[in-house]
Amino acid sequence: MTDGLGNLRLWGYDDRVAGSAEEGARVGRVVQVDRGECDVVTAAGMVRAGSDSVRAQAETAPVTGDWVQVTSRHEVLIGRVLPRLTALTRRDPAERDAEQVLAANFDIVGIVAGLDRPLPPGRFERMLVMARDSGAAIVILLTKADRAPDAAAASETVRAVAGDVDVVTLSARRGVGLDDLRSRLGPGRTLALVGASGSGKSTLVNALAGAEVAATAKVRSSDRRGRH
Ligand SMILES: Nc1nc2c(ncn2[C@@H]2O[C@H](COP(=O)(O)OP(=O)(O)OP(=O)(O)O)[C@@H](O)[C@H]2O)c(=O)[nH]1
Ligand SMILES: [Mg+2]
């Protein structure tokens, strides 16, 4: 931890990232994207970075989770987006063949579904396909077990559809299943959550963090990072 990168390692910086960056480049990880600007965590702390103005249209636009090279002459800019190790993508509904990348470089993707309502037919399978395509490990997270009349039976139904994918039943309210999920994470590992609005993603993030880091309950149309 004497190389000044100790902090970045907690954000997932490792030899694979180091190996894909140019010699001497200042590397950081995009933790949030909004209105064409990004919050990027670097060894020196968090910086607000614009996308490089000379970036060609065809070049990769940064998404949450990307490792990037930043330059700072007059303002901090994102130069190169490093090759993605994993990515959640979906077809752009407007452009039939264009793929939209939602998030990158997570180790695990959690498909979140609330046990307080029936699984949306088709949607669950689509999320499973998206997760399989991402290249990351997958876990199905069944939330709100305290709201299900028979959580065990509901979990069994999901297991039948899920095949070899692990299923964890949780209740953020009662603290059930959190240790199981925590044991799959750890320093430097990144979890991406996908799931319908209201399925309990933000509540889960807050329960894991032990702090109110994500707003819950209200549906926010302007904020769909890493979601589906
Ligand atoms: N009873 C119970 N309610 C829960 C649990 N987890 C989440 N909820 C409730 O479910 C509602 C939606 O939860 P959110 O965490 O905001 O859902 P979200 O998936 O982040 O939704 P969007 O941000 O709209 O995509 C909130 O009212 C939560 O309090 C749980 O384990 N038990
Ligand atoms: Mg939310």
Side-chain angles (χ1 to χ4, degrees):
M1 299 282 172
T2 53
D3 54 5
L5 292 168
N7 172 52
L8 263 196
R9 286 186 209 285
L10 291 174
W11 289 89
Y13 184 86
D14 61 12
D15 291 347
R16 290 184 301 182
V17 180
S20 63
E22 285 160 25
E23 191 75 31
R26 189 175 165 207
V27 172
R29 190 167 196 196
V30 176
V31 297
Q32 176 159 301
V33 182
D34 65 286
R35 281 165 264 126
E37 291 199 323
C38 305
D39 290 330
V40 181
V41 63
T42 71
M46 200 72 79
V47 295
R48 184 88 175 149
S51 255
D52 192 338
S53 52
V54 299
R55 185 190 302 282
Q57 278 290 310
E59 271 190 76
T60 310
V63 299
T64 301
D66 266 328
W67 286 99
V68 296
Q69 294 182 182
V70 295
T71 59
S72 49
R73 225 150 275 144
H74 305 293
E75 50 177 335
V76 181
L77 291 174
I78 289 177
R80 205 159 75 91
V81 175
L82 302 184
R84 290 171 178 147
L85 300 167
T86 61
L88 273 171
T89 56
R90 70 168 167 201
R91 301 243 171 265
D92 189 332
E95 298 166 59
R96 280 182 142 243
D97 298 318
E99 266 194 350
Q100 186 188 6
V101 182
L102 302 171
N105 300 323
F106 41 86
D107 302 283
I108 307 176
V109 52
I111 300 175
V112 182
L115 286 172
D116 59 333
R117 66 189 87 174
L119 281 188
R123 181 139 193 206
F124 189 73
E125 286 80 357
R126 281 201 298 279
M127 287 194 287
L128 209 45
V129 169
M130 193 166 89
R132 287 194 204 279
D133 288 347
S134 76
I138 312 173
V139 61
I140 294 171
L141 304 172
L142 300 178
T143 59
K144 310 193 203 182
D146 58 288
R147 296 277 305 277
D150 190 349
S155 302
E156 274 320 305
T157 309
V158 171
R159 269 177 235 275
V161 183
D164 55 354
V165 177
D166 279 359
V167 180
V168 178
T169 305
L170 301 119
S171 166
R173 185 132 316 163
R174 303 227 173 108
V176 173
L178 293 173
D179 284 343
D180 187 341
L181 179 53
R182 272 197 199 98
S183 72
R184 295 157 194 268
L185 305 170
R189 283 170 66 77
T190 305
L191 169 71
L193 297 178
V194 295
S197 179
S199 56
K201 300 179 294 296
S202 300
T203 305
L204 203 49
V205 167
N206 291 339
L208 287 172
E212 193 74 10
V213 294
T216 55
K218 291 274 181 290
V219 177
R220 295 160 301 163
S221 57
S222 62
D223 176 0
R224 303 179 64 209
R225 280 168 284 113
R227 307 239 197 85
H228 187 225

PDB file of all heavy atoms in Angstrom, residues 2 5-6 8 13 19-20 26 29 59-61 71 78 99 102 113 120 124 158 185 198 202 224:
ATOM      1  N   THR A   2       2.127   1.111  -0.389  1.00  0.00           N
ATOM      2  CA  THR A   2       3.002   2.278  -0.389  1.00  0.00           C
ATOM      3  C   THR A   2       3.006   2.988  -1.743  1.00  0.00           C
ATOM      4  O   THR A   2       3.659   3.996  -1.912  1.00  0.00           O
ATOM      5  CB  THR A   2       4.451   1.873  -0.048  1.00  0.00           C
ATOM      6  OG1 THR A   2       4.831   0.818  -0.931  1.00  0.00           O
ATOM      7  CG2 THR A   2       4.581   1.422   1.396  1.00  0.00           C
ATOM      8  N   LEU A   5      -1.908   3.643  -4.095  1.00  0.00           N
ATOM      9  CA  LEU A   5      -3.091   3.114  -4.767  1.00  0.00           C
ATOM     10  C   LEU A   5      -3.977   2.297  -3.827  1.00  0.00           C
ATOM     11  O   LEU A   5      -4.955   1.689  -4.250  1.00  0.00           O
ATOM     12  CB  LEU A   5      -2.670   2.244  -5.962  1.00  0.00           C
ATOM     13  CG  LEU A   5      -2.020   3.021  -7.119  1.00  0.00           C
ATOM     14  CD1 LEU A   5      -1.374   2.054  -8.100  1.00  0.00           C
ATOM     15  CD2 LEU A   5      -3.053   3.885  -7.826  1.00  0.00           C
ATOM     16  N   GLY A   6      -3.618   2.325  -2.543  1.00  0.00           N
ATOM     17  CA  GLY A   6      -4.372   1.540  -1.566  1.00  0.00           C
ATOM     18  C   GLY A   6      -5.859   1.839  -1.610  1.00  0.00           C
ATOM     19  O   GLY A   6      -6.694   0.937  -1.613  1.00  0.00           O
ATOM     20  N   LEU A   8      -7.542   3.073  -4.104  1.00  0.00           N
ATOM     21  CA  LEU A   8      -8.128   2.604  -5.370  1.00  0.00           C
ATOM     22  C   LEU A   8      -8.338   1.096  -5.373  1.00  0.00           C
ATOM     23  O   LEU A   8      -9.255   0.595  -6.010  1.00  0.00           O
ATOM     24  CB  LEU A   8      -7.219   2.979  -6.537  1.00  0.00           C
ATOM     25  CG  LEU A   8      -7.548   4.245  -7.327  1.00  0.00           C
ATOM     26  CD1 LEU A   8      -6.810   4.234  -8.652  1.00  0.00           C
ATOM     27  CD2 LEU A   8      -9.046   4.407  -7.568  1.00  0.00           C
ATOM     28  N   TYR A  13      -9.216  -1.726  -8.015  1.00  0.00           N
ATOM     29  CA  TYR A  13      -7.993  -1.615  -8.820  1.00  0.00           C
ATOM     30  C   TYR A  13      -7.135  -2.857  -8.596  1.00  0.00           C
ATOM     31  O   TYR A  13      -6.892  -3.250  -7.454  1.00  0.00           O
ATOM     32  CB  TYR A  13      -7.220  -0.367  -8.416  1.00  0.00           C
ATOM     33  CG  TYR A  13      -5.982  -0.096  -9.253  1.00  0.00           C
ATOM     34  CD1 TYR A  13      -6.079   0.610 -10.446  1.00  0.00           C
ATOM     35  CD2 TYR A  13      -4.737  -0.544  -8.848  1.00  0.00           C
ATOM     36  CE1 TYR A  13      -4.952   0.870 -11.214  1.00  0.00           C
ATOM     37  CE2 TYR A  13      -3.602  -0.292  -9.611  1.00  0.00           C
ATOM     38  CZ  TYR A  13      -3.717   0.417 -10.791  1.00  0.00           C
ATOM     39  OH  TYR A  13      -2.607   0.667 -11.552  1.00  0.00           O
ATOM     40  N   GLY A  19      -2.547  -3.388 -15.882  1.00  0.00           N
ATOM     41  CA  GLY A  19      -1.963  -3.876 -17.131  1.00  0.00           C
ATOM     42  C   GLY A  19      -2.583  -3.265 -18.371  1.00  0.00           C
ATOM     43  O   GLY A  19      -1.966  -3.265 -19.446  1.00  0.00           O
ATOM     44  N   SER A  20      -3.810  -2.754 -18.252  1.00  0.00           N
ATOM     45  CA  SER A  20      -4.455  -2.215 -19.451  1.00  0.00           C
ATOM     46  C   SER A  20      -4.285  -0.700 -19.565  1.00  0.00           C
ATOM     47  O   SER A  20      -4.660  -0.096 -20.563  1.00  0.00           O
ATOM     48  CB  SER A  20      -5.944  -2.595 -19.473  1.00  0.00           C
ATOM     49  OG  SER A  20      -6.608  -2.010 -18.376  1.00  0.00           O
ATOM     50  N   ARG A  26      -2.798   8.519 -15.281  1.00  0.00           N
ATOM     51  CA  ARG A  26      -3.552   8.665 -14.030  1.00  0.00           C
ATOM     52  C   ARG A  26      -4.876   7.926 -14.227  1.00  0.00           C
ATOM     53  O   ARG A  26      -5.652   8.263 -15.129  1.00  0.00           O
ATOM     54  CB  ARG A  26      -3.782  10.150 -13.788  1.00  0.00           C
ATOM     55  CG  ARG A  26      -4.356  10.464 -12.439  1.00  0.00           C
ATOM     56  CD  ARG A  26      -4.412  11.975 -12.264  1.00  0.00           C
ATOM     57  NE  ARG A  26      -5.267  12.334 -11.165  1.00  0.00           N
ATOM     58  CZ  ARG A  26      -5.915  13.481 -11.077  1.00  0.00           C
ATOM     59  NH1 ARG A  26      -5.794  14.388 -12.028  1.00  0.00           N
ATOM     60  NH2 ARG A  26      -6.667  13.741 -10.036  1.00  0.00           N
ATOM     61  N   ARG A  29     -11.760   5.379 -11.395  1.00  0.00           N
ATOM     62  CA  ARG A  29     -12.963   4.601 -11.689  1.00  0.00           C
ATOM     63  C   ARG A  29     -14.197   5.481 -11.633  1.00  0.00           C
ATOM     64  O   ARG A  29     -14.386   6.248 -10.672  1.00  0.00           O
ATOM     65  CB  ARG A  29     -13.099   3.446 -10.692  1.00  0.00           C
ATOM     66  CG  ARG A  29     -14.185   2.491 -11.117  1.00  0.00           C
ATOM     67  CD  ARG A  29     -14.172   1.199 -10.370  1.00  0.00           C
ATOM     68  NE  ARG A  29     -14.981   0.237 -11.087  1.00  0.00           N
ATOM     69  CZ  ARG A  29     -15.425  -0.897 -10.578  1.00  0.00           C
ATOM     70  NH1 ARG A  29     -15.105  -1.229  -9.340  1.00  0.00           N
ATOM     71  NH2 ARG A  29     -16.174  -1.714 -11.294  1.00  0.00           N
ATOM     72  N   GLU A  59     -16.352   6.615 -30.342  1.00  0.00           N
ATOM     73  CA  GLU A  59     -15.567   6.093 -29.224  1.00  0.00           C
ATOM     74  C   GLU A  59     -16.430   5.789 -28.007  1.00  0.00           C
ATOM     75  O   GLU A  59     -17.521   6.311 -27.848  1.00  0.00           O
ATOM     76  CB  GLU A  59     -14.471   7.097 -28.852  1.00  0.00           C
ATOM     77  CG  GLU A  59     -13.199   6.844 -29.642  1.00  0.00           C
ATOM     78  CD  GLU A  59     -12.060   7.674 -29.103  1.00  0.00           C
ATOM     79  OE1 GLU A  59     -11.522   7.306 -28.052  1.00  0.00           O
ATOM     80  OE2 GLU A  59     -11.739   8.689 -29.735  1.00  0.00           O
ATOM     81  N   THR A  60     -15.868   4.975 -27.156  1.00  0.00           N
ATOM     82  CA  THR A  60     -16.602   4.511 -25.981  1.00  0.00           C
ATOM     83  C   THR A  60     -16.938   5.655 -25.032  1.00  0.00           C
ATOM     84  O   THR A  60     -16.052   6.389 -24.604  1.00  0.00           O
ATOM     85  CB  THR A  60     -15.719   3.495 -25.223  1.00  0.00           C
ATOM     86  OG1 THR A  60     -15.244   2.542 -26.170  1.00  0.00           O
ATOM     87  CG2 THR A  60     -16.490   2.811 -24.136  1.00  0.00           C
ATOM     88  N   ALA A  61     -18.196   5.791 -24.708  1.00  0.00           N
ATOM     89  CA  ALA A  61     -18.590   6.773 -23.693  1.00  0.00           C
ATOM     90  C   ALA A  61     -18.503   6.094 -22.330  1.00  0.00           C
ATOM     91  O   ALA A  61     -18.908   4.943 -22.188  1.00  0.00           O
ATOM     92  CB  ALA A  61     -20.012   7.243 -23.962  1.00  0.00           C
ATOM     93  N   THR A  71      -6.975  13.077 -17.568  1.00  0.00           N
ATOM     94  CA  THR A  71      -5.932  14.078 -17.772  1.00  0.00           C
ATOM     95  C   THR A  71      -6.425  15.346 -17.107  1.00  0.00           C
ATOM     96  O   THR A  71      -7.633  15.558 -16.992  1.00  0.00           O
ATOM     97  CB  THR A  71      -5.735  14.370 -19.271  1.00  0.00           C
ATOM     98  OG1 THR A  71      -6.988  14.831 -19.808  1.00  0.00           O
ATOM     99  CG2 THR A  71      -5.303  13.125 -20.034  1.00  0.00           C
ATOM    100  N   ILE A  78     -11.825  12.948 -19.098  1.00  0.00           N
ATOM    101  CA  ILE A  78     -11.629  11.518 -19.268  1.00  0.00           C
ATOM    102  C   ILE A  78     -11.028  11.289 -20.637  1.00  0.00           C
ATOM    103  O   ILE A  78     -11.566  11.742 -21.649  1.00  0.00           O
ATOM    104  CB  ILE A  78     -12.965  10.764 -19.120  1.00  0.00           C
ATOM    105  CG1 ILE A  78     -13.390  10.799 -17.657  1.00  0.00           C
ATOM    106  CG2 ILE A  78     -12.833   9.326 -19.622  1.00  0.00           C
ATOM    107  CD1 ILE A  78     -14.699  10.159 -17.389  1.00  0.00           C
ATOM    108  N   GLU A  99     -26.437  -1.177 -29.019  1.00  0.00           N
ATOM    109  CA  GLU A  99     -26.397  -1.700 -27.657  1.00  0.00           C
ATOM    110  C   GLU A  99     -26.072  -0.578 -26.695  1.00  0.00           C
ATOM    111  O   GLU A  99     -25.179   0.218 -26.946  1.00  0.00           O
ATOM    112  CB  GLU A  99     -25.320  -2.780 -27.551  1.00  0.00           C
ATOM    113  CG  GLU A  99     -25.873  -4.148 -27.769  1.00  0.00           C
ATOM    114  CD  GLU A  99     -24.916  -5.234 -27.338  1.00  0.00           C
ATOM    115  OE1 GLU A  99     -23.750  -4.934 -27.044  1.00  0.00           O
ATOM    116  OE2 GLU A  99     -25.353  -6.393 -27.313  1.00  0.00           O
ATOM    117  N   LEU A 102     -24.951  -0.284 -19.629  1.00  0.00           N
ATOM    118  CA  LEU A 102     -25.518   0.296 -18.413  1.00  0.00           C
ATOM    119  C   LEU A 102     -24.486   0.426 -17.308  1.00  0.00           C
ATOM    120  O   LEU A 102     -24.520   1.372 -16.525  1.00  0.00           O
ATOM    121  CB  LEU A 102     -26.671  -0.576 -17.918  1.00  0.00           C
ATOM    122  CG  LEU A 102     -27.820  -0.802 -18.893  1.00  0.00           C
ATOM    123  CD1 LEU A 102     -28.774  -1.847 -18.350  1.00  0.00           C
ATOM    124  CD2 LEU A 102     -28.561   0.504 -19.153  1.00  0.00           C
ATOM    125  N   ALA A 113     -35.551  -9.260  -7.205  1.00  0.00           N
ATOM    126  CA  ALA A 113     -37.005  -9.360  -7.375  1.00  0.00           C
ATOM    127  C   ALA A 113     -37.641  -9.384  -5.993  1.00  0.00           C
ATOM    128  O   ALA A 113     -37.117 -10.029  -5.077  1.00  0.00           O
ATOM    129  CB  ALA A 113     -37.362 -10.617  -8.157  1.00  0.00           C
ATOM    130  N   PRO A 120     -42.470 -10.793 -12.643  1.00  0.00           N
ATOM    131  CA  PRO A 120     -43.014 -10.363 -13.930  1.00  0.00           C
ATOM    132  C   PRO A 120     -42.650 -11.371 -15.023  1.00  0.00           C
ATOM    133  O   PRO A 120     -41.482 -11.634 -15.228  1.00  0.00           O
ATOM    134  CB  PRO A 120     -42.329  -9.008 -14.166  1.00  0.00           C
ATOM    135  CG  PRO A 120     -41.155  -8.995 -13.257  1.00  0.00           C
ATOM    136  CD  PRO A 120     -41.418  -9.943 -12.138  1.00  0.00           C
ATOM    137  N   PHE A 124     -38.025 -11.525 -15.953  1.00  0.00           N
ATOM    138  CA  PHE A 124     -37.034 -12.207 -15.138  1.00  0.00           C
ATOM    139  C   PHE A 124     -36.050 -12.972 -16.029  1.00  0.00           C
ATOM    140  O   PHE A 124     -34.834 -12.887 -15.857  1.00  0.00           O
ATOM    141  CB  PHE A 124     -37.751 -13.156 -14.172  1.00  0.00           C
ATOM    142  CG  PHE A 124     -36.851 -13.754 -13.152  1.00  0.00           C
ATOM    143  CD1 PHE A 124     -36.376 -12.986 -12.106  1.00  0.00           C
ATOM    144  CD2 PHE A 124     -36.464 -15.069 -13.257  1.00  0.00           C
ATOM    145  CE1 PHE A 124     -35.532 -13.532 -11.154  1.00  0.00           C
ATOM    146  CE2 PHE A 124     -35.621 -15.631 -12.310  1.00  0.00           C
ATOM    147  CZ  PHE A 124     -35.154 -14.853 -11.264  1.00  0.00           C
ATOM    148  N   VAL A 158     -38.536 -19.972  -8.023  1.00  0.00           N
ATOM    149  CA  VAL A 158     -37.487 -19.230  -8.730  1.00  0.00           C
ATOM    150  C   VAL A 158     -36.297 -20.147  -9.011  1.00  0.00           C
ATOM    151  O   VAL A 158     -35.726 -20.124 -10.102  1.00  0.00           O
ATOM    152  CB  VAL A 158     -37.052 -17.994  -7.930  1.00  0.00           C
ATOM    153  CG1 VAL A 158     -35.832 -17.338  -8.543  1.00  0.00           C
ATOM    154  CG2 VAL A 158     -38.196 -16.997  -7.846  1.00  0.00           C
ATOM    155  N   LEU A 185     -19.295 -10.822  -1.311  1.00  0.00           N
ATOM    156  CA  LEU A 185     -18.614  -9.579  -1.673  1.00  0.00           C
ATOM    157  C   LEU A 185     -17.280  -9.522  -0.939  1.00  0.00           C
ATOM    158  O   LEU A 185     -16.747 -10.530  -0.551  1.00  0.00           O
ATOM    159  CB  LEU A 185     -19.493  -8.377  -1.327  1.00  0.00           C
ATOM    160  CG  LEU A 185     -20.884  -8.428  -1.956  1.00  0.00           C
ATOM    161  CD1 LEU A 185     -21.777  -7.355  -1.378  1.00  0.00           C
ATOM    162  CD2 LEU A 185     -20.772  -8.286  -3.463  1.00  0.00           C
ATOM    163  N   GLY A 198     -38.885  -0.540  -7.472  1.00  0.00           N
ATOM    164  CA  GLY A 198     -39.632  -0.947  -6.285  1.00  0.00           C
ATOM    165  C   GLY A 198     -39.280  -2.334  -5.789  1.00  0.00           C
ATOM    166  O   GLY A 198     -39.846  -2.805  -4.794  1.00  0.00           O
ATOM    167  N   SER A 202     -32.300  -0.198  -3.779  1.00  0.00           N
ATOM    168  CA  SER A 202     -31.696   0.853  -2.949  1.00  0.00           C
ATOM    169  C   SER A 202     -31.720   0.469  -1.471  1.00  0.00           C
ATOM    170  O   SER A 202     -30.746   0.706  -0.744  1.00  0.00           O
ATOM    171  CB  SER A 202     -32.429   2.184  -3.152  1.00  0.00           C
ATOM    172  OG  SER A 202     -32.351   2.581  -4.502  1.00  0.00           O
ATOM    173  N   ARG A 224     -31.203   6.038 -13.613  1.00  0.00           N
ATOM    174  CA  ARG A 224     -31.423   4.631 -13.920  1.00  0.00           C
ATOM    175  C   ARG A 224     -30.093   3.913 -14.115  1.00  0.00           C
ATOM    176  O   ARG A 224     -29.986   2.970 -14.856  1.00  0.00           O
ATOM    177  CB  ARG A 224     -32.306   4.509 -15.149  1.00  0.00           C
ATOM    178  CG  ARG A 224     -33.616   5.224 -14.945  1.00  0.00           C
ATOM    179  CD  ARG A 224     -34.479   5.143 -16.155  1.00  0.00           C
ATOM    180  NE  ARG A 224     -34.852   3.763 -16.439  1.00  0.00           N
ATOM    181  CZ  ARG A 224     -35.109   3.321 -17.650  1.00  0.00           C
ATOM    182  NH1 ARG A 224     -35.008   4.105 -18.679  1.00  0.00           N
ATOM    183  NH2 ARG A 224     -35.455   2.065 -17.834  1.00  0.00           N
TER     184      ARG A 224
END
